[in-house]
Amino acid sequence: MQIQGIYKSDKGKSIFYTWSQAMHTRIDLVLCNRPEVESKQIAALIYEEIGRIEKIGNRFDPESELSVINRMASQQPVRISPDLYDIINLCLEYNKLTLSCFDISIHSEKHDRNTISSILLSPENQTVYFQKTGIILDLSGFLKGYALEKIRPILSAGKIDDVLVNFGNSSVMAIGNHPFGKGWKIEWETLDNGDEKNPVTLFNECFTTSGNNSSERRHIINPPTGEYVEGLRKVSVLTDNAITGEVLSTALFVATTEQREELIRDFQCKAFIIMY
């Protein structure tokens, strides 16, 4: 994979910036304090890993592994890869931990809060089976966080201690420091006029956002009601783990006020909530 980017070095410190497209968004990657050749090699491995995970879990790709089980798992148990088994198992666990506010079965036919319980995993056979027809799994509120966590071993093997990975400003992982500052400073709110405000400095943290582009363009469904969420514009969370952040940003977006308080307390996270 050929990597295009910008490499700069000054006073013994260096920075390599590159970008790509995956998971229906732009990915910006900043690697620090490694030689240019090594930086490009590591960036290539990162993009390959993201592409591999997207191929597993993109339900809009008819050839993805997820699309196969969406078509076949209501007919018979389907053997799945270790990654997809791990993904679905984690999603079922997070459904319980988030008071059913996070639900990957939300786009299923005749969905209700019990639909997700019809997804059966067999650890012995590594299969998934849907107990009823019409179940559709959607990992769009999970996959980017999972990909960010799968990147960590690549960074560790490449001895990258300072890095920023940004999925379209909605899923950000920051490790270590910018070469000319402490942590990584990001802007977390974009105003209607395009201006940005409210900077947040991340240090070994993940910053994840769920939201609607406008009050007319809603796209997040509340699992218990089946209705699009009204009134909220954006929810961002600050976590140590990208998967937890991805799940919580969605869960907090659809949660009631009481549920939101409980989830923030249980997960010990910091949340930023913007109303219309």
Side-chain angles (χ1 to χ4, degrees), residues 16-20 22-23 25-32 42-43 46-47 49-50 144-152 154-155 160 162-176 184 186 202 205-208 242 246:
F16 177 67
Y17 168 65
T18 183
W19 57 93
S20 185
M23 297 187 182
T25 192
R26 174 182 170 124
I27 303 171
D28 292 282
L29 176 62
V30 183
L31 304 173
C32 300
I42 293 168
I46 288 172
Y47 289 141
E49 179 67 357
I50 293 171
K144 287 183 286 187
Y146 186 80
L148 285 173
E149 289 302 316
K150 295 292 282 188
I151 287 171
R152 289 188 190 269
I154 298 173
L155 297 171
I160 300 289
D162 304 292
V163 60
L164 181 76
V165 189
N166 183 354
F167 280 81
N169 297 324
S170 65
S171 300
V172 182
M173 180 172 71
I175 299 174
W184 294 87
I186 65 169
L202 309 180
E205 293 168 305
C206 301
F207 194 82
T208 313
E246 199 79 24

Coordinates of all heavy atoms in Angstrom, one line a residue, residues 16-20 22-23 25-32 42-43 46-47 49-50 144-152 154-155 160 162-176 184 186 202 205-208 242 246:
F16 N 4.8 12.9 11.2 CA 4.3 12.4 9.9 C 2.8 12.5 9.9 O 2.2 11.9 10.8 CB 4.8 11.0 9.7 CG 4.3 10.4 8.4 CD1 4.8 10.9 7.2 CD2 3.4 9.4 8.4 CE1 4.3 10.4 6.0 CE2 3.0 8.8 7.2 CZ 3.4 9.3 6.0
Y17 N 2.3 13.2 8.9 CA 0.8 13.3 8.8 C 0.4 12.7 7.5 O 0.9 13.0 6.4 CB 0.4 14.8 8.8 CG -1.0 15.1 8.4 CD1 -2.1 14.6 9.2 CD2 -1.3 15.8 7.2 CE1 -3.4 14.8 8.8 CE2 -2.6 16.0 6.9 CZ -3.6 15.5 7.6 OH -4.9 15.7 7.2
T18 N -0.6 11.8 7.6 CA -1.2 11.2 6.4 C -2.7 11.0 6.6 O -3.2 11.2 7.7 CB -0.5 9.8 6.2 OG1 -1.0 9.3 5.0 CG2 -0.8 8.9 7.3
W19 N -3.4 10.7 5.5 CA -4.8 10.6 5.5 C -5.3 9.5 4.6 O -4.6 9.2 3.6 CB -5.5 12.0 5.2 CG -5.0 12.5 3.8 CD1 -5.6 12.3 2.6 CD2 -3.8 13.2 3.6 NE1 -4.9 12.9 1.6 CE2 -3.8 13.4 2.2 CE3 -2.8 13.7 4.4 CZ2 -2.7 14.1 1.6 CZ3 -1.7 14.3 3.7 CH2 -1.7 14.6 2.4
S20 N -6.5 9.1 4.8 CA -7.1 8.0 3.9 C -8.6 8.1 4.1 O -9.2 8.9 4.8 CB -6.5 6.7 4.3 OG -7.0 5.7 3.4
A22 N -12.0 5.4 4.9 CA -12.5 4.1 5.2 C -13.7 4.3 6.1 O -13.9 5.4 6.8 CB -11.5 3.3 5.9
M23 N -14.6 3.3 6.2 CA -15.7 3.3 7.1 C -16.6 4.6 6.9 O -17.1 5.2 7.8 CB -15.3 3.2 8.6 CG -14.6 1.9 8.9 SD -14.3 1.7 10.6 CE -13.5 0.1 10.6
T25 N -15.8 7.6 6.0 CA -15.3 8.8 6.6 C -13.8 9.0 6.3 O -13.2 8.1 5.8 CB -15.5 8.9 8.1 OG1 -15.3 10.2 8.6 CG2 -14.6 7.9 8.8
R26 N -13.3 10.2 6.6 CA -11.9 10.5 6.4 C -11.2 10.1 7.7 O -11.7 10.3 8.8 CB -11.7 12.0 6.1 CG -10.3 12.4 6.1 CD -10.2 13.9 5.8 NE -8.8 14.4 6.0 CZ -8.1 15.0 5.1 NH1 -8.6 15.3 3.9 NH2 -6.9 15.5 5.4
I27 N -10.0 9.5 7.5 CA -9.1 9.2 8.6 C -7.9 10.0 8.5 O -7.2 10.0 7.5 CB -8.8 7.7 8.6 CG1 -10.0 6.8 8.6 CG2 -7.9 7.4 9.8 CD1 -9.7 5.4 8.3
D28 N -7.6 10.8 9.6 CA -6.3 11.5 9.7 C -5.5 10.9 10.7 O -5.9 10.5 11.8 CB -6.6 13.0 10.1 CG -7.4 13.7 9.0 OD1 -6.7 14.2 8.1 OD2 -8.6 13.9 9.2
L29 N -4.2 10.7 10.3 CA -3.3 9.9 11.2 C -2.0 10.8 11.4 O -1.4 11.3 10.4 CB -2.9 8.6 10.5 CG -1.9 7.7 11.2 CD1 -2.3 7.3 12.6 CD2 -1.6 6.5 10.3
V30 N -1.6 11.0 12.6 CA -0.4 11.7 12.9 C 0.5 10.8 13.8 O 0.2 10.4 14.9 CB -0.7 13.0 13.7 CG1 0.6 13.8 14.0 CG2 -1.6 13.9 12.9
L31 N 1.7 10.5 13.3 CA 2.7 9.6 14.0 C 3.9 10.5 14.3 O 4.4 11.2 13.4 CB 3.1 8.4 13.1 CG 2.0 7.5 12.6 CD1 2.5 6.5 11.6 CD2 1.3 6.8 13.8
C32 N 4.4 10.4 15.5 CA 5.5 11.2 15.9 C 6.8 10.5 16.2 O 6.8 9.4 16.7 CB 5.1 12.1 17.1 SG 3.7 13.1 16.8
I42 N 4.3 1.9 9.2 CA 3.3 1.7 10.2 C 2.0 2.2 9.8 O 0.9 1.6 10.1 CB 3.8 2.4 11.5 CG1 5.0 1.7 12.0 CG2 2.7 2.5 12.6 CD1 5.8 2.5 13.1
A43 N 1.9 3.3 9.1 CA 0.7 3.9 8.6 C 0.0 2.9 7.6 O -1.2 2.7 7.7 CB 0.9 5.2 7.9
I46 N -1.6 0.2 9.6 CA -2.9 0.7 10.3 C -4.0 0.8 9.3 O -5.1 0.3 9.6 CB -2.6 2.1 10.9 CG1 -1.7 2.0 12.1 CG2 -3.9 2.8 11.3 CD1 -1.2 3.3 12.7
Y47 N -3.8 1.3 8.1 CA -4.9 1.4 7.1 C -5.3 0.0 6.7 O -6.5 -0.2 6.4 CB -4.4 2.3 6.0 CG -4.3 3.7 6.3 CD1 -3.2 4.5 5.8 CD2 -5.2 4.4 7.1 CE1 -3.1 5.8 6.1 CE2 -5.0 5.7 7.4 CZ -4.0 6.4 6.9 OH -3.9 7.8 7.2
E49 N -5.3 -2.7 8.5 CA -6.1 -3.3 9.6 C -7.5 -2.6 9.6 O -8.5 -3.4 9.8 CB -5.4 -3.0 10.9 CG -6.1 -3.6 12.2 CD -6.2 -5.1 12.2 OE1 -5.7 -5.8 11.3 OE2 -6.8 -5.6 13.2
I50 N -7.6 -1.3 9.4 CA -8.9 -0.7 9.4 C -9.7 -1.3 8.2 O -10.9 -1.5 8.4 CB -8.7 0.8 9.2 CG1 -8.1 1.4 10.5 CG2 -10.1 1.5 9.0 CD1 -7.7 2.9 10.4
K144 N -15.8 1.7 14.5 CA -14.7 2.6 14.5 C -13.9 2.5 15.9 O -12.7 2.5 15.9 CB -15.1 4.0 14.3 CG -15.5 4.3 12.8 CD -15.8 5.8 12.6 CE -17.2 6.1 13.1 NZ -17.6 7.5 12.7
G145 N -14.6 2.4 17.0 CA -14.0 2.2 18.2 C -13.2 0.9 18.3 O -12.1 0.8 18.9
Y146 N -13.8 -0.2 17.7 CA -13.1 -1.5 17.7 C -11.9 -1.4 16.9 O -10.8 -1.9 17.3 CB -14.1 -2.5 17.1 CG -13.5 -3.9 17.1 CD1 -13.6 -4.7 18.3 CD2 -13.0 -4.5 16.0 CE1 -13.1 -6.0 18.3 CE2 -12.5 -5.8 16.0 CZ -12.6 -6.5 17.2 OH -12.1 -7.8 17.2
A147 N -11.9 -0.7 15.7 CA -10.8 -0.5 14.9 C -9.7 0.2 15.6 O -8.5 -0.1 15.5 CB -11.1 0.2 13.6
L148 N -10.0 1.3 16.4 CA -9.0 2.0 17.1 C -8.3 1.1 18.1 O -7.1 1.2 18.3 CB -9.7 3.2 17.8 CG -10.0 4.4 16.9 CD1 -10.8 5.5 17.7 CD2 -8.8 5.0 16.3
E149 N -9.0 0.3 18.8 CA -8.4 -0.6 19.8 C -7.5 -1.6 19.1 O -6.5 -2.0 19.7 CB -9.5 -1.3 20.7 CG -10.1 -0.3 21.7 CD -9.1 0.4 22.6 OE1 -8.2 -0.3 23.1 OE2 -9.3 1.6 22.8
K150 N -7.9 -2.1 17.9 CA -7.1 -3.1 17.2 C -5.8 -2.4 16.6 O -4.8 -3.1 16.3 CB -7.9 -3.7 16.0 CG -9.1 -4.5 16.5 CD -8.7 -5.8 17.2 CE -8.2 -6.8 16.3 NZ -8.0 -8.1 16.9
I151 N -5.8 -1.1 16.6 CA -4.6 -0.4 16.1 C -3.5 -0.4 17.2 O -2.3 -0.4 16.9 CB -4.9 1.1 15.7 CG1 -5.7 1.1 14.4 CG2 -3.7 1.9 15.6 CD1 -6.3 2.4 14.0
R152 N -3.9 -0.5 18.4 CA -2.9 -0.3 19.5 C -1.7 -1.3 19.4 O -0.6 -0.9 19.6 CB -3.6 -0.5 20.9 CG -4.5 0.7 21.2 CD -5.0 0.5 22.7 NE -6.0 1.5 23.0 CZ -5.9 2.7 23.6 NH1 -4.6 3.1 23.8 NH2 -6.9 3.4 23.8
I154 N -0.3 -2.5 16.8 CA 0.5 -2.1 15.7 C 1.4 -0.9 16.2 O 2.6 -0.9 15.9 CB -0.3 -1.7 14.5 CG1 -1.1 -2.8 14.0 CG2 0.5 -1.1 13.4 CD1 -2.1 -2.5 12.9
L155 N 0.8 0.0 16.9 CA 1.6 1.1 17.4 C 2.6 0.6 18.4 O 3.8 1.1 18.4 CB 0.6 2.1 18.1 CG -0.4 2.8 17.2 CD1 -1.4 3.6 18.0 CD2 0.3 3.7 16.2
I160 N 5.6 3.3 18.7 CA 5.0 4.6 18.5 C 4.4 5.0 19.8 O 3.4 4.4 20.2 CB 4.0 4.7 17.4 CG1 4.6 4.3 16.0 CG2 3.3 6.0 17.3 CD1 5.5 5.3 15.5
D162 N 3.6 8.4 20.6 CA 2.9 9.7 20.4 C 2.2 9.6 19.1 O 2.8 9.6 18.0 CB 3.9 10.8 20.5 CG 4.7 10.8 21.7 OD1 4.2 11.1 22.8 OD2 5.9 10.6 21.6
V163 N 0.8 9.6 19.1 CA 0.1 9.4 17.9 C -1.4 10.0 18.1 O -1.9 9.9 19.2 CB 0.0 7.9 17.5 CG1 -0.7 7.1 18.6 CG2 -0.8 7.7 16.2
L164 N -1.9 10.4 17.0 CA -3.3 10.9 17.0 C -4.0 10.2 15.8 O -3.5 10.2 14.7 CB -3.4 12.4 16.8 CG -4.9 12.9 16.8 CD1 -5.4 12.9 18.2 CD2 -4.9 14.3 16.2
V165 N -5.1 9.5 16.1 CA -5.9 8.8 15.0 C -7.3 9.4 15.1 O -7.9 9.4 16.1 CB -5.9 7.3 15.2 CG1 -6.6 6.7 13.9 CG2 -4.6 6.7 15.4
N166 N -7.7 10.0 14.0 CA -9.0 10.7 13.9 C -9.9 10.2 12.8 O -9.6 10.4 11.6 CB -8.7 12.2 13.7 CG -10.0 13.1 13.8 OD1 -11.1 12.6 13.8 ND2 -9.8 14.4 13.7
F167 N -11.0 9.6 13.2 CA -12.0 9.1 12.3 C -13.1 10.2 12.1 O -14.0 10.3 12.9 CB -12.7 7.9 12.8 CG -12.0 6.6 12.5 CD1 -11.0 6.2 13.4 CD2 -12.3 5.7 11.5 CE1 -10.3 5.0 13.2 CE2 -11.7 4.5 11.3 CZ -10.7 4.2 12.1
G168 N -12.9 11.1 11.2 CA -13.9 12.1 10.8 C -14.4 13.0 12.0 O -15.5 13.4 12.0
N169 N -13.5 13.2 13.0 CA -13.8 14.0 14.2 C -14.8 13.3 15.1 O -15.2 13.9 16.1 CB -14.3 15.4 13.8 CG -13.2 16.2 13.1 OD1 -12.1 16.1 13.4 ND2 -13.6 17.0 12.1
S170 N -15.3 12.1 14.7 CA -16.3 11.5 15.6 C -15.7 10.4 16.5 O -16.3 10.1 17.6 CB -17.4 10.8 14.7 OG -16.9 9.8 14.0
S171 N -14.6 9.9 16.1 CA -13.9 8.9 16.9 C -12.4 9.2 16.9 O -11.7 9.1 15.9 CB -14.1 7.5 16.4 OG -15.5 7.2 16.4
V172 N -11.9 9.7 18.0 CA -10.5 10.2 18.1 C -9.7 9.4 19.2 O -10.2 9.3 20.3 CB -10.4 11.7 18.4 CG1 -9.0 12.2 18.4 CG2 -11.2 12.4 17.3
M173 N -8.6 8.9 18.9 CA -7.7 8.3 19.9 C -6.4 9.1 19.9 O -5.7 9.2 18.9 CB -7.4 6.8 19.6 CG -6.5 6.1 20.6 SD -6.4 4.3 20.3 CE -5.4 4.3 18.8
A174 N -6.0 9.5 21.1 CA -4.8 10.3 21.3 C -3.9 9.6 22.3 O -4.3 9.3 23.4 CB -5.1 11.7 21.8
I175 N -2.7 9.3 21.9 CA -1.7 8.6 22.8 C -0.5 9.5 22.9 O 0.1 10.0 21.9 CB -1.3 7.3 22.2 CG1 -2.5 6.4 22.1 CG2 -0.2 6.6 23.1 CD1 -2.3 5.0 21.4
G176 N 0.0 9.7 24.1 CA 1.2 10.5 24.4 C 1.0 12.0 24.1 O -0.1 12.5 24.4
W184 N -2.8 16.2 23.2 CA -3.3 16.6 21.9 C -4.5 17.5 22.0 O -5.5 17.0 22.6 CB -3.6 15.3 21.1 CG -2.4 14.5 20.8 CD1 -1.9 13.5 21.6 CD2 -1.6 14.5 19.6 NE1 -0.8 12.9 21.0 CE2 -0.6 13.5 19.8 CE3 -1.7 15.3 18.4 CZ2 0.3 13.3 18.8 CZ3 -0.7 15.1 17.5 CH2 0.3 14.1 17.6
I186 N -7.8 19.2 20.7 CA -8.8 19.1 19.6 C -10.0 20.1 19.9 O -10.2 20.5 21.1 CB -9.4 17.7 19.5 CG1 -10.1 17.3 20.8 CG2 -8.2 16.7 19.2 CD1 -10.9 16.0 20.6
L202 N -6.4 16.0 25.0 CA -6.4 14.6 25.2 C -5.0 14.1 25.5 O -4.1 14.4 24.9 CB -7.0 13.8 24.0 CG -8.3 14.3 23.4 CD1 -8.7 13.4 22.2 CD2 -9.4 14.3 24.5
E205 N -6.2 9.2 25.8 CA -7.6 9.2 25.9 C -8.3 9.1 24.6 O -7.7 9.3 23.5 CB -8.1 10.4 26.7 CG -7.7 10.5 28.1 CD -8.0 11.9 28.7 OE1 -7.5 12.9 28.1 OE2 -8.7 12.0 29.7
C206 N -9.6 8.7 24.6 CA -10.4 8.7 23.4 C -11.5 9.6 23.5 O -12.1 9.8 24.6 CB -10.9 7.3 23.1 SG -9.6 6.0 23.0
F207 N -11.9 10.3 22.4 CA -13.0 11.3 22.4 C -13.9 10.9 21.3 O -13.5 10.9 20.1 CB -12.4 12.7 22.2 CG -13.4 13.8 22.5 CD1 -13.6 14.2 23.7 CD2 -14.1 14.4 21.4 CE1 -14.5 15.2 24.0 CE2 -15.0 15.4 21.7 CZ -15.2 15.8 23.0
T208 N -15.1 10.5 21.7 CA -16.1 9.9 20.7 C -17.4 10.7 20.7 O -17.9 11.1 21.8 CB -16.4 8.5 21.1 OG1 -15.2 7.8 21.3 CG2 -17.1 7.8 19.9
A242 N -11.5 3.1 23.4 CA -12.3 3.6 22.2 C -13.6 2.9 22.0 O -14.6 3.5 21.6 CB -11.4 3.5 21.0
E246 N -17.2 4.6 22.0 CA -18.1 4.5 20.8 C -19.5 4.1 21.3 O -20.6 4.6 20.9 CB -17.6 3.5 19.8 CG -18.2 3.6 18.5 CD -17.5 4.7 17.6 OE1 -16.4 5.1 17.9 OE2 -18.2 5.2 16.7

